[in-house]
Amino acid sequence: MQNYNNPVLSYGHGSTNTTGCAITGGTFYPTSALFPPEYQGDYFFADFCNGWIRRLDPETGNASSFATGLERPIDLEVSKAGELYYLARGSTGGTAYVRKIGVR
C-alpha cells in the first residue's frame, strides 16, 4: 500500500508497566508550560487496563514511564496553565474522577 505509514509507537499486550490493552487518551504537552523543558513537546498517553501514563519523545521515538497505579484512565488534557489532568473510570463499579498531576 503506497499511503501506509508505520506506527510511530506500538507496545505489546500484557499486564506490566510497558504493556497494556488500549491507548485511551493522549495529548501533546505545550512548549511553554509548568513541567521541565524535557517534557515539552512530548506526547503523553494512557493505557486503560494497566493504569499507566507514558510519554513519547516525537524527535527520538522513545517512550518512557511517567505515572503508574492509576485506575482505568480514559482521557488526558493539558489546561491553559500547563497542568496535566487525567480522567479515570476508577475501579469496576466505582466513581469516575479527574486528577491533576503536579510537578515536584
Side-chain angles (χ1 to χ4, degrees):
M1 237 181 189
Q2 292 179 356
N3 294 329
Y4 175 80
N5 290 321
N6 286 324
V8 173
L9 174 76
S10 64
Y11 60 89
H13 286 219
S15 58
T16 69
N17 286 339
T18 58
T19 61
C21 74
I23 293 177
T24 53
T27 188
F28 282 95
Y29 197 75
T31 56
S32 58
L34 298 174
F35 285 15
E38 63 263 28
Y39 295 108
Q40 296 174 5
D42 284 359
Y43 181 71
F44 287 78
F45 60 98
D47 184 80
F48 178 76
C49 297
N50 290 338
W52 49 252
I53 296 173
R54 293 179 62 80
R55 66 183 182 104
L56 172 70
D57 181 335
E59 290 185 23
T60 65
N62 293 328
S64 58
S65 181
F66 181 74
T68 59
L70 312 176
E71 290 185 286
R72 301 165 72 185
I74 56 176
D75 198 14
L76 297 170
E77 293 289 333
V78 177
S79 73
K80 289 181 181 177
E83 300 156 323
L84 181 63
Y85 288 88
Y86 70 93
L87 172 65
R89 285 192 62 192
S91 60
T92 304
T95 303
Y97 55 87
V98 174
R99 296 259 166 86
K100 177 172 66 172
I101 297 178
V103 179
R104 292 184 182 184

